Amino acid sequence: MDRSNQTSPLVGFILLGLSAHPKLEKMFFVLILLMYLVILLGNGVLILVTILDSRLRTPMYFFLGNLSFLDICYTTSSVPLILDSFLTPRKTIPFSACAVQMFLSFAMGATECVLLGMMAFDRYVAICNPLRYPEVMSKAVYVPMAAGSWVAGSTSAMVQTSLAMRLPFCGDNVINHFTCEILAVLKLACADISINIISMAMTNVIFLGIPVLFIFFSYVFIIATILKIPSAEGRKKAFSTCSAHLTVVVIFYGTILFMYGKPKSKDPLGADKQDVEDKLTSLFYGVVTPMLNPIIYSLRNKDVKAAVRNLKRRKLFSK
């Protein structure tokens, strides 16, 4: 009888979150809620201005609008679940809902990796080949580039989610995380996960390694071109067109490297502390980065500032 209970398939998971630290839960609930509202407002405004302002109908701002929409989708796939876990001890999530949440978060993360690479190529062409920019980055080129990012990210997420959800989960059903993070779910499988690990490694190479190398070499050529500009004012103006993107790239990939690159503690006494640190780092990656993106682009971009002011004037006049 006990054996049948142990081998029966699970119908859901329990998200542990920060249930062992109730004081932190109350503080982070308010903090994450405020950040989520800023994400919705900031990225929503960026999407609006890139659509409504004719001066922003260029490849760079088209990619920026996609990035803002992606950030809204990414946070919406996880933040409501995180907020609910702060209010509900040992939050239970159905198996199917866990699969959907895993797919959405993985798809948005993979898509952003590719999209940031596309944005680096756009900046490379604009600075290194400005005369050919209208021809190279025509609408027939940059729209399929953005669409390809979404398709690639969604396809990868579908493969990884399918492989993970086909595994048997017949033992512990407690996920030591805020959400159905794929690595946390794989730890609960009672079967060989070597195929999943190999598949994840290949995905990391394609969606992390290749875009990082592409961005790196793009900026090598960009910086080399900027340094050749004779005037200091010209160099400053050229660098300002890509500084916001470079800042977002550093924050995005820097957080990923910090999350997965730091050594794991072998001290059992420090395991709980490290688990909390890993969760909070994941929270930073999932909430703070999407919140900073519109702030970075609006503070460092005169065109976006002007478009936001025009949007405010339209609202005032409409009243």
Side-chain angles (χ1 to χ4, degrees):
M1 190 73 177
D2 292 339
R3 185 175 178 179
S4 64
N5 287 337
Q6 290 178 352
T7 57
S8 60
L10 297 179
V11 294
F13 295 99
I14 295 174
L15 299 171
L16 198 59
L18 288 175
S19 57
H21 306 274
K23 292 182 179 179
L24 286 177
E25 284 187 317
K26 295 176 182 178
M27 179 183 69
F28 276 103
F29 175 82
V30 176
L31 188 62
I32 298 304
L33 178 60
L34 291 174
M35 288 181 174
Y36 183 51
L37 294 175
V38 172
I39 289 168
L40 295 178
L41 178 62
N43 286 289
V45 169
L46 270 182
I47 293 172
L48 276 178
V49 297
T50 55
I51 293 173
L52 298 177
D53 198 304
S54 58
R55 292 173 300 177
L56 301 185
R57 290 171 189 168
T58 63
M60 182 177 74
Y61 295 110
F62 178 77
F63 287 130
L64 179 57
N66 273 263
L67 182 64
S68 295
F69 180 68
L70 188 150
D71 284 339
I72 290 176
C73 293
Y74 179 76
T75 51
T76 302
S77 73
S78 58
V79 170
L81 189 62
I82 293 171
L83 292 173
D84 191 28
S85 71
F86 289 146
L87 299 176
T88 309
R90 297 175 70 84
K91 169 68 179 176
T92 302
I93 181 171
F95 192 84
S96 57
C98 185
V100 171
Q101 192 275 319
M102 183 190 298
F103 166 80
L104 289 174
S105 60
F106 198 101
M108 297 304 105
T111 301
E112 184 159 358
C113 290
V114 181
L115 193 61
L116 288 173
M118 299 296 184
M119 294 174 77
F121 177 74
D122 173 72
R123 292 300 84 205
Y124 162 76
V125 178
I127 293 175
C128 299
N129 296 283
L131 297 179
R132 294 192 60 202
Y133 183 77
E135 176 188 351
V136 176
M137 295 302 296
S138 64
K139 190 173 183 179
V141 174
Y142 68 77
V143 172
M145 285 172 66
S149 301
W150 286 92
V151 171
S154 299
T155 303
S156 173
M158 182 64 73
V159 171
Q160 297 303 325
T161 303
S162 299
L163 289 175
M165 291 295 104
R166 286 179 182 176
L167 292 170
F169 299 93
C170 47
D172 188 10
N173 68 333
V174 179
I175 299 176
N176 190 18
H177 212 278
F178 295 110
T179 62
C180 292
E181 200 269 338
I182 189 166
L183 295 178
V185 172
L186 289 178
K187 291 179 181 178
L188 304 181
C190 52
D192 182 24
I193 60 170
S194 57
I195 294 178
N196 300 77
I197 298 300
I198 293 171
S199 178
M200 284 286 291
M202 292 174 62
T203 300
N204 288 340
V205 170
I206 295 171
F207 287 91
L208 287 176
I210 294 177
V212 165
L213 287 175
F214 190 81
I215 292 168
F216 174 77
F217 284 111
S218 294
Y219 273 99
V220 167
F221 289 110
I222 288 171
I223 293 171
T225 302
I226 290 175
L227 292 176
K228 293 178 182 177
I229 298 175
S231 67
E233 186 64 27
R235 290 194 296 270
K236 183 180 178 181
K237 185 178 179 180
F239 184 74
S240 67
T241 63
C242 57
S243 59
H245 173 258
L246 186 58
T247 304
V248 170
V249 166
V250 170
I251 294 173
F252 180 79
Y253 286 106
T255 309
I256 293 177
L257 291 174
F258 179 78
M259 240 185 353
Y260 297 108
K262 65 178 182 177
K264 300 294 182 182
S265 173
K266 296 181 180 180
D267 182 9
L269 296 176
D272 181 62
K273 182 181 178 182
Q274 183 169 312
D275 283 341
V276 174
E277 289 178 355
D278 290 343
K279 291 176 188 178
L280 294 181
T281 304
S282 176
L283 201 61
F284 175 88
Y285 167 74
V287 180
V288 178
T289 303
M291 183 187 70
L292 290 177
N293 286 352
I295 296 173
I296 292 169
Y297 276 102
S298 61
L299 289 178
R300 303 183 67 89
N301 193 298
K302 294 179 180 178
D303 293 334
V304 173
K305 288 180 183 178
V308 171
R309 286 194 295 268
N310 289 336
L311 185 62
K312 289 180 180 178
R313 291 195 194 101
R314 287 184 185 181
K315 288 184 177 180
L316 289 173
F317 286 122
S318 64
K319 292 179 181 179

